């Protein structure tokens, strides 16, 4: 059987760093360098390598990810592997998942340990990502899997995967669902398919309009005794400080400090304001607690209920909704489908 054609798109990140004269790691390696470091890749697939950028993933923009999605759509290949930094991988992979609906596997991978360290994870992650992209089960279920993330021999759904630690090598986890598959020896071992009805429904509404530009989404992290001064500043500013929507990283099942409730209610009247669980994703409550800062009161006041999406992923979905020109009721409907 002929080997599948896998296209590698390199964006930068730790996986693509090399030391400068002082020993500091700088972005520098391109896609060809990454491929050259893993000769086994040629046994698994016919590899095409393309350097898109050489930046840390903290420097990527949402516009750049929309352009990357358009590029991926235009490729005539059997699978795509994106290499990038780990810092924003949980966001970029979910954005690609919202923008792409393809019959071919799209994999995002990265590295936690840079190439100058003992046992860097980049080469192994790249090989694993290409193995996943070339795997017959993955290719047969590519649309059902959506965009997936491969790190440390595990495969994760883009809607669930989180960077759960800043530095350790096993930094990634899908805390809600666990991995979809594992790599063992040279095999991909499937374990489960993700439930993606909400992503599919969102994608139908978002369509191509998601290419337009919109005002950015503010991320408001709620915490013990938060007074809400930043929310007040957004309300007072005639241009809302430039923001077009807001994500509220709420406590527990959907609660905020009582001091910030009034400001949040006002904000929800001015822009789409989505409540999302700061506890790491997972379904919110809807009708358990009473009182002024409870989920019942916030929902009655018009805050949009974010479902199980982590606030970082909710921010990506709201940004995409705003770019698509969706109004509040349509946005609430999309988030509602996430539980
Ligand atoms: N700062 C790097 C980046 O996100 C970290 C990494 O790749 O792990 O590009």
């Amino acid at each position: 059987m002929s080997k599948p054609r896998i296209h590698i798109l390199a964006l930068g990140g730790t996986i693509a760093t090399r030391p400068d004269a002082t020993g500091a790691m700088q972005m520098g390696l391109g896609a060809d360098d990454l491929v050259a470091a893993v000769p086994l890749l040629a046994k698994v697939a016919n590899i095409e390598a393309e350097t898109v950028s050489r930046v840390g993933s903290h420097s990527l923009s949402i516009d750049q990810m929309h352009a990357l999605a358009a590029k991926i759509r235009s490729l005539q290949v059997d699978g795509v592997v994106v290499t990038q930094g780990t810092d924003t991988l949980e966001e970029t992979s979910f954005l690609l998942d919202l923008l792409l609906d393809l019959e071919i596997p799209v994999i995002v991978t990265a590295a936690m340990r840079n190439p100058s360290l003992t046992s860097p994870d980049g080469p192994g992650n790249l090989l694993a990502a290409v193995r996943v992209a070339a795997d017959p089960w993955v290719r047969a279920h590519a649309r059902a899997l959506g965009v997936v993330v491969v790190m440390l021999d595990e495969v994760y759904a883009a809607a669930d995967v989180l960077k759960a630690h800043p530095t350790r090598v096993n930094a990634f986890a899908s805390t809600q669902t666990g991995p979809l598959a594992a790599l063992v020896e040279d095999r991909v071992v499937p374990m489960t398919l993700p439930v993606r009805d909400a992503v599919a429904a969102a994608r139908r509404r978002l369509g191509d309009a998601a290419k337009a530009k919109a005002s950015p989404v503010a991320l408001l992290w709620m915490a013990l005794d938060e007074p809400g001064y930043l929310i007040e500043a957004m309300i007072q500013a005639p241009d809302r400080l430039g923001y077009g929507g807001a994500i509220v990283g709420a406590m527990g099942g959907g609660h905020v400090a009582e001091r910030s409730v009034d400001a949040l209610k006002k904000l929800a009247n001015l822009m789409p304001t989505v409540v999302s669980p700061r506890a790491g994703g997972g379904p919110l409550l809807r009708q358990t607690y009473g009182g002024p800062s409870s989920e019942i009161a916030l929902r009655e006041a018009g805050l949009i209920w974010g479902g199980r999406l982590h606030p970082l992923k909710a921010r990506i979905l709201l940004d995409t909704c705003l770019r698509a020109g969706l109004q509040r009721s349509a946005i609430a409907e999309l988030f509602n489908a996430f539980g």
Side-chain angles (χ1 to χ4, degrees), residues 141-339:
H141 294 88
R143 197 182 281 278
L145 287 162
V147 173
V148 296
V149 169
V150 172
M151 292 293 287
L152 265 198
D153 289 344
E154 289 192 321
V155 181
Y156 304 107
D160 287 319
V161 68
L162 300 176
K163 184 172 181 180
H165 194 277
T167 48
R168 74 183 184 209
V169 71
N170 60 338
F172 284 80
S174 269
T175 50
Q176 293 185 66
T177 61
L180 306 174
L183 285 109
V184 181
E185 299 170 336
D186 58 357
R187 291 170 291 131
V188 175
V189 180
M191 295 193 285
T192 186
L193 286 170
V195 175
R196 306 184 69 249
D197 303 31
V199 172
R203 215 170 24 213
R204 279 196 294 277
R205 293 297 294 271
L206 295 168
D208 277 352
K211 287 181 204 141
K213 203 153 172 50
S215 303
V217 174
L219 183 55
L220 304 166
W221 210 253
M222 294 295 108
L224 181 70
D225 206 24
E226 164 61 46
Y229 298 151
L230 285 174
I231 306 165
E232 289 290 356
M234 286 172 73
I235 295 165
Q236 299 304 330
D239 69 346
R240 313 291 170 228
L241 302 180
Y243 290 108
I247 300 297
V248 178
M251 295 178 258
H255 307 139
V256 300
E258 222 163 295
R259 296 178 70 181
S260 46
V261 170
D262 288 344
L264 274 177
K265 287 181 178 172
K266 280 187 215 147
L267 190 69
N269 280 323
L270 297 171
M271 62 174 68
T273 304
V274 177
V275 171
S276 174
R278 74 167 200 186
L284 291 167
L285 297 173
R286 294 186 178 193
Q287 51 187 24
T288 298
Y289 292 100
S293 58
S294 69
E295 72 276 8
I296 292 176
L298 295 177
R299 277 162 63 76
E300 277 171 6
L303 282 101
I304 295 170
W305 227 232
R308 70 184 184 86
L309 289 177
H310 184 281
L312 291 176
K313 298 195 193 272
R315 176 175 167 274
I316 291 296
L317 177 57
L318 182 55
D319 186 279
T320 316
C321 288
L322 296 181
R323 285 170 185 249
L326 298 189
Q327 298 302 307
R328 192 198 168 284
S329 60
I331 294 171
E333 208 180 294
L334 291 198
F335 275 98
N336 194 45
F338 282 92

Side-chain angles (χ1 to χ4, degrees), residues 12-15 27 55-58 84-88 110-113 163 166:
T14 289
I15 194 168
M27 300 299 147
V55 297
S57 70
H58 42 271
Q84 64 157 88
T86 59
D87 289 354
T88 58
M112 288 300 296
R113 290 173 62 79
K163 184 172 181 180

Side-chain angles (χ1 to χ4, degrees), residues 88-155:
T88 58
L89 188 151
E90 58 203 316
E91 296 159 80
T92 56
S93 58
F94 184 53
L95 179 53
L96 290 176
D97 199 27
L98 289 173
L99 299 177
L100 297 173
D101 187 17
L102 303 178
E103 292 290 352
I104 59 167
V106 178
I107 321 291
V108 187
T109 193
M112 288 300 296
R113 290 173 62 79
N114 71 61
S116 74
L117 296 172
T118 306
S119 47
D121 53 329
N125 285 342
L126 180 59
L127 179 59
V130 170
R131 276 200 208 288
V132 171
D135 179 76
W137 179 81
V138 173
R139 289 176 67 193
H141 294 88
R143 197 182 281 278
L145 287 162
V147 173
V148 296
V149 169
V150 172
M151 292 293 287
L152 265 198
D153 289 344
E154 289 192 321
V155 181

Side-chain angles (χ1 to χ4, degrees), residues 69-85:
K71 178 187 267 294
I72 292 172
R73 262 187 237 113
S74 73
L75 294 171
Q76 300 295 316
V77 292
D78 300 312
V80 175
V81 170
V82 176
T83 64
Q84 64 157 88

